Amino acid sequence: MTKTGAIGVFDSGIGGLTVLRALLKTLPDESFVYFGDTARVPYGNKSAETVLRFSRENVQFLMDEGVKFVVVACNTASAEAVPTLQREFPVPIVGVIEPGVRAAVKMSKAHHIGVIGTAGTIRSGAYQRGIEDLDPQARVIALACPLFVPLVEEGWIDTPITETIASTYLQDYRKEGIDVLVLGCTHYPLLHDVIGRVLGPRVALVDSAVETANVVRERLEADGLLSDGGEPHLSIYLSDIAPNFREVGERILGRPIPDVRLLTV
Ligand code: DGL
């Protein structure tokens, strides 16, 4: 691997732009190739076998683009495919689970941690196992919140309905006395304020996107792969370009999206 290659990032769709956003902030001198599998989203309710198959194809595409490093931005793909991808591909691959786990264990004093994500992420048990392995004293309660993704894509970020749905999902967490909640899905960082309000100030929220960007920087440094010059560029590929993708995508990325190329899968 050379320092000059871009960092490849893939997600099931455009939610992973939250991870790209954190990466662009943490690693402003790096180039990125982002692939969002918008033709096959969502991954969160598909079988683990299908998520692995799609993930293999996504990494292969990024490798064909010559990337030096791969970030799996999708929590579902991270939970269900990253260990296999790491064994199969000759490129460093980082998912979002391990960074989220590390941050949660570090932040929790009560050893009582909540995790929310898609049905696939929660069913895989990846966050739960990761937290319990790192902190055998930890008690983890995990919950799938499938309505959060469409709410974010609809732009209903901070509306009374979103708050009602969040309080309904999270009511047990309020009683259980967790002190840390992992936002284990690409879209959930956008609901940070609503979720924070519902749970109150005693519960710290872990944004896996930010934690992952820090881990990627550490890994690039350790492997001697940090870019040493050149104009950074950003390429975005999607497997379907829906009419409203720019509106939704720019909300998630927090900046204008450059030209997007179609990748047929
Ligand atoms: N990107 C997915 C995740 O983080 C959410 C959307 C989906 O279900 O594909 O789990």
Side-chain angles (χ1 to χ4, degrees):
M1 295 298 149
T2 68
K3 294 166 184 249
T4 48
I7 298 172
V9 182
F10 84 82
D11 178 45
S12 56
I14 51 180
L17 294 173
T18 51
V19 179
L20 181 62
R21 179 182 186 154
L23 287 164
L24 287 166
K25 194 165 167 210
T26 307
L27 293 160
D29 298 329
E30 297 293 333
S31 293
F32 292 92
V33 179
Y34 179 94
F35 171 59
D37 196 4
T38 41
R40 302 190 290 197
V41 71
Y43 284 11
N45 57 9
K46 293 198 170 61
S47 69
E49 292 71 29
T50 299
V51 171
L52 176 59
R53 179 160 57 86
F54 291 171
S55 300
R56 280 190 178 115
E57 293 171 11
N58 301 343
V59 175
Q60 190 57 55
F61 162 70
L62 293 171
M63 286 202 61
D64 293 346
E65 287 291 297
V67 301
K68 63 180 175 186
F69 198 98
V70 170
V71 180
V72 181
C74 178
N75 283 253
T76 309
S78 296
E80 293 180 330
V82 159
T84 308
L85 298 173
Q86 286 169 332
R87 277 196 304 276
E88 292 179 353
F89 288 93
V91 62
I93 300 179
V94 163
V96 290
I97 305 286
E98 208 195 304
V101 162
R102 261 175 42 180
V105 168
K106 204 164 148 201
M107 281 156 77
S108 177
K109 302 214 166 22
H111 304 277
H112 197 184
I113 297 170
V115 178
I116 54 176
T118 65
T121 298
I122 299 304
R123 189 187 53 223
S124 77
Y127 273 111
Q128 299 91 308
R129 268 195 312 280
I131 292 170
E132 285 160 5
D133 284 352
L134 206 57
D135 175 10
Q137 268 183 283
R139 273 198 302 143
V140 184
I141 38 174
L143 179 75
C145 301
L147 292 176
F148 282 166
V149 167
L151 281 170
V152 168
E153 299 213 345
E154 197 57 33
W156 290 14
I157 306 289
D158 204 340
T159 65
I161 290 178
T162 310
E163 187 153 339
T164 305
I165 292 172
S167 0
T168 309
Y169 273 141
L170 302 173
Q171 59 191 345
D172 287 345
Y173 284 133
R174 284 194 291 196
K175 291 185 222 131
E176 286 274 349
I178 56 164
D179 65 344
V180 170
L181 178 74
V182 181
L183 305 177
C185 175
T186 45
H187 292 60
Y188 298 179
L190 280 102
L191 301 177
H192 185 281
D193 291 355
V194 177
I195 293 172
R197 228 172 21 246
V198 165
L199 291 178
R202 281 203 293 273
V203 180
L205 304 182
V206 173
D207 180 339
S208 297
V210 172
E211 303 302 336
T212 301
N214 292 332
V215 167
V216 173
R217 193 189 42 211
E218 282 165 28
R219 276 292 300 274
L220 289 170
E221 256 163 26
D223 296 352
L225 287 176
L226 278 173
S227 160
D228 55 6
E231 190 58 32
H233 62 86
L234 168 62
S235 308
I236 299 191
Y237 292 85
L238 300 176
S239 51
D240 178 65
I241 302 183
N244 69 341
F245 97 88
R246 194 169 288 280
E247 183 198 329
V248 181
E250 290 184 351
R251 184 184 315 126
I252 297 175
L253 186 61
R255 64 162 85 177
I257 291 186
D259 284 346
V260 170
R261 277 174 277 182
L262 183 68
L263 175 76
T264 311
V265 286

